Amino acid sequence: MSTTLSAPALPTTTPAVDAPLPERPRTYLVKTLGCQMNVHDSEHMAGLLEHAGYVAATPGDAAAEDADVIVINTCAVRENAADKLYGNLGRLAGMKRARPGMQIAVGGCLAQKDRAGIVERAPWVDVVFGTHNLDVLPVLLERARHNARAEVEIAESLQVFPSTLPTRRESVYAGWVSISVGCNNTCTFCIVPHLRGKERDRRPGEILAEVDALVQQGAIEVTLLGQNVNSYGVEFGDRQAFAKLLRAAGAVQGLERLRFTSPHPASFTDDVIDAMAQTPTVMPQLHMPLQSGSDRVLRAMRRSYRSERFLGILDRVRAAMPDAAITTDIIVGFPGETEEDFAETLRVVEESRFASAFTFQYSPRPGTPAADLPDQLPKAVVQERYERLVALQERISTEENVAQVGRTIEVLVAEGEGRKDGATHRISGRAADNRLVHLALPQGRHPDDAPRPGDLVTVAVTHGAPHHLVADSALTGGPFAVRRTRAGDAWERRQSGEDEHSHGTGDACGTGAGPAGPVVLGLPTIGVPAR
């Protein structure tokens, strides 16, 4: 079921219905605020727009935000999500007044939550759509242009599985693949189940077909996505479905790196650890949210595991994969958290030896049970604890990264990842365990011979810092070897314009034949007239 909400007429700068259409294709820019799921949703939004005849704004256009259509894909998990959205909208208001015909659309979690309230607060917005109906974006844009008024359409449940939609991949060498949407957990601090709905699982064959299509189009790394990936299979009653999926996806010919995010500790089983350890393409990396080290706080959060179970999982993962890098999420200052509770978090963090951690100060989200709990902590208390936690994790991350010095690793070169060093001409990428690596090229190497994004480089680690590794072995006669890959070839084709910045081709079979365009996997798509 979907709800179409009435909205006020747009400002007088909106062109009349009979205004002449521009001769050039309309350009678009999608801005993403939020998690990996939002990033992947943005790829679908971009694919839908290109399928409807829009053209991605050039880098210059994107920097100046002067595209004809700007889509903001929002997050609602953090307290500052609304501030980020309305800050962006405020900057765009004057731009829209000066440019008749420009359109602004807002989608994602905050759109699902606030609905018509977005247009009431920012009446220059043309379109608002939710997490369950990404497919309506091009239609709503056209309807808003025709009717000269804002269009707000929010579906109450999933209308079309996002992975069946056209996709404009941001990367040619690595891609996201959703295995499920929604969440069946009831964590008291989290609004995601309310905004994304109950878990819906894709059939294994559809997932494997998408992985294979990505590989055929040049990708050598794939990340499986879900709110709780390891509960995959709950919808069709197979508790071992995720471990089976890891093995099957890892066996896709041509795939070199398989990752997944994020699993839930309560559903993490030993068959998944076995699949990770026994499947060579599954990388030695695990991101598993801890949230708190206090059992009392975990109970208040409705996190259905306790600290000893969490630590036990880490022990078993490291026994099977000694070089695994484990990362996590932690919330500081949950309502009622005592100094003793926080000390338990510090204890578990010390024992866990995380390679890195995403640390957050608790922020109440309206509509969640935790927002109404007593004993909300003073900001000063939360801030002081947060600083102690960050200092502890910085120390551990530094120690863990320094311990990598001397190791020979293989780095997948990335595009626009991390800092570069002008003096050493360093390039950046990710090691198998997902650590960020800045690596130097041999002196005198011709720029045309530099590794391309998507290529793999073997180097030795020479320095460890809290948030990255440095591998300057090429400057001292140490290991340095480049393996040029078909992913690098695909990146090079994109740079030359052969595939018009799409990830793959627009043919329905994913065979590589036909004109360039967004990825279409031969699954149902919504028909939108091209402009």
Side-chain angles (χ1 to χ4, degrees):
M1 182 181 70
S2 63
T3 304
T4 302
L5 303 170
S6 60
L10 294 173
T12 56
T13 53
T14 301
V17 172
D18 59 354
L21 293 174
E23 293 184 2
R24 62 172 177 80
R26 286 172 63 78
T27 58
Y28 76 88
L29 168 67
V30 180
K31 300 188 66 171
T32 307
L33 310 175
C35 65
Q36 296 98 327
M37 195 68 74
N38 288 63
V39 172
H40 192 38
D41 283 349
S42 291
E43 292 184 330
H44 293 310
M45 294 174 193
L48 282 161
L49 291 172
E50 292 198 2
H51 201 53
Y54 293 81
V55 175
T58 65
D61 289 334
E65 292 184 322
D66 61 356
D68 297 311
V69 172
I70 294 180
V71 183
I72 303 178
N73 186 13
T74 63
C75 171
V77 173
R78 303 298 166 202
E79 185 176 25
N80 62 354
D83 294 338
K84 287 184 178 180
L85 169 63
Y86 291 107
N88 275 274
L89 292 178
R91 288 192 295 273
L92 294 174
M95 193 176 300
K96 181 168 180 177
R97 284 193 296 270
R99 293 180 52 223
M102 176 185 176
Q103 288 185 290
I104 301 169
V106 178
C109 292
L110 198 62
Q112 185 78 25
K113 174 178 172 288
D114 288 356
R115 306 184 177 215
I118 291 173
V119 177
E120 293 170 4
R121 184 167 171 179
W124 54 92
V125 170
D126 300 84
V127 167
V128 178
F129 61 105
T131 57
H132 298 311
N133 58 334
L134 306 183
D135 55 296
V136 301
L137 172 58
V139 171
L140 293 181
L141 286 168
E142 290 308 303
R143 195 184 298 165
R145 280 162 56 82
H146 181 273
N147 296 337
R149 63 182 298 119
E151 295 289 336
V152 180
E153 187 169 311
I154 305 294
E156 302 299 329
S157 60
L158 193 65
Q159 304 299 293
V160 178
F161 207 104
S163 293
T164 66
L165 302 173
T167 307
R168 180 184 183 272
R169 303 278 179 176
E170 286 301 311
S171 168
V172 294
Y173 49 85
W176 310 98
V177 173
S178 283
I179 68 171
S180 63
V181 295
C183 179
N184 292 340
N185 291 310
T186 58
C187 302
T188 56
F189 57 82
C190 185
I191 199 169
V192 167
H194 175 66
L195 302 178
R196 294 275 182 178
K198 291 293 186 181
E199 181 173 327
R200 293 277 304 275
D201 294 334
R202 295 177 71 191
R203 302 305 298 183
E206 293 178 0
I207 297 168
L208 296 175
E210 184 173 357
V211 173
D212 184 66
L214 284 174
V215 171
Q216 293 301 317
Q217 293 149 6
I220 60 173
E221 177 175 296
V222 166
T223 301
L224 304 179
L225 275 183
Q227 298 295 341
N228 293 306
V229 289
N230 57 325
S231 65
Y232 174 75
V234 65
E235 193 174 14
F236 47 85
D238 185 351
R239 292 184 177 274
Q240 295 187 322
F242 183 61
K244 295 174 184 175
L245 182 64
L246 281 180
R247 294 180 189 274
V252 170
Q253 188 172 4
L255 181 67
E256 301 203 25
R257 293 184 169 192
L258 181 64
R259 306 186 190 276
F260 59 90
T261 192
S262 295
H264 193 292
S267 306
F268 205 91
T269 51
D270 287 349
D271 61 319
V272 172
I273 298 174
D274 293 341
M276 293 173 66
Q278 296 165 12
T279 308
T281 48
V282 176
M283 294 293 95
Q285 173 230 341
L286 176 65
H287 181 82
M288 190 165 64
L290 168 64
Q291 305 303 8
S292 174
S294 163
D295 290 350
R296 195 186 69 82
V297 172
L298 288 171
R299 193 175 298 110
M301 289 178 167
R302 289 189 200 151
R303 300 284 289 179
S304 47
Y305 57 89
R306 300 297 174 255
S307 60
E308 289 311 304
R309 171 173 171 76
F310 186 94
L311 289 168
I313 293 171
L314 269 53
D315 288 343
R316 295 195 296 279
V317 168
R318 288 180 169 132
M321 293 169 287
D323 294 330
I326 300 174
T327 57
T328 197
D329 299 334
I330 303 171
I331 296 172
V332 177
F334 187 80
E337 180 190 76
T338 65
E339 181 61 31
E340 291 74 19
D341 293 324
F342 181 66
E344 279 295 285
T345 294
L346 296 180
R347 176 187 68 82
V348 175
V349 168
E350 186 76 68
E351 290 187 32
S352 297
R353 306 298 297 177
F354 297 117
S356 64
F358 295 97
T359 52
F360 305 97
Q361 298 184 36
Y362 170 77
S363 57
R365 308 308 298 137
T368 63
D372 298 322
L373 288 175
D375 300 325
Q376 302 282 330
L377 300 187
K379 171 66 176 176
V381 171
V382 178
Q383 180 67 35
E384 189 273 336
R385 290 178 185 171
Y386 175 79
E387 290 173 0
R388 275 192 281 159
L389 174 62
V390 169
L392 171 61
Q393 184 56 52
E394 289 275 299
R395 174 178 64 76
I396 294 171
S397 294
T398 301
E399 292 169 354
E400 291 297 305
N401 282 352
V402 168
Q404 302 295 309
V405 173
R407 287 190 62 198
T408 298
I409 58 175
E410 190 172 54
V411 179
L412 176 60
V413 178
E415 184 176 29
E417 176 100 73
R419 295 180 301 175
K420 312 298 186 295
D421 188 300
T424 59
H425 304 287
R426 288 192 183 108
I427 58 176
S428 299
R430 295 280 171 174
D433 62 11
N434 210 38
R435 283 183 167 94
L436 176 63
V437 183
H438 304 302
L439 60 96
L441 302 177
Q443 292 180 342
R445 190 181 185 94
H446 193 277
D448 292 343
D449 294 331
R452 307 160 300 178
D455 287 340
L456 289 157
V457 184
T458 300
V459 287
V461 179
T462 56
H463 176 72
H467 306 293
H468 66 269
L469 304 176
V470 174
D472 281 352
S473 54
L475 303 179
T476 58
F480 182 86
V482 177
R483 177 155 66 89
R484 293 172 72 84
T485 68
R486 54 188 181 75
D489 295 341
W491 179 86
E492 201 163 30
R493 287 194 300 272
R494 169 182 286 188
Q495 297 305 108
S496 68
E498 290 181 34
D499 70 353
E500 298 180 359
H501 197 59
S502 70
H503 189 125
T505 63
D507 71 303
C509 299
T511 60
V519 172
V520 180
L521 297 170
L523 301 172
T525 58
I526 189 158
V528 181
R531 293 201 59 80

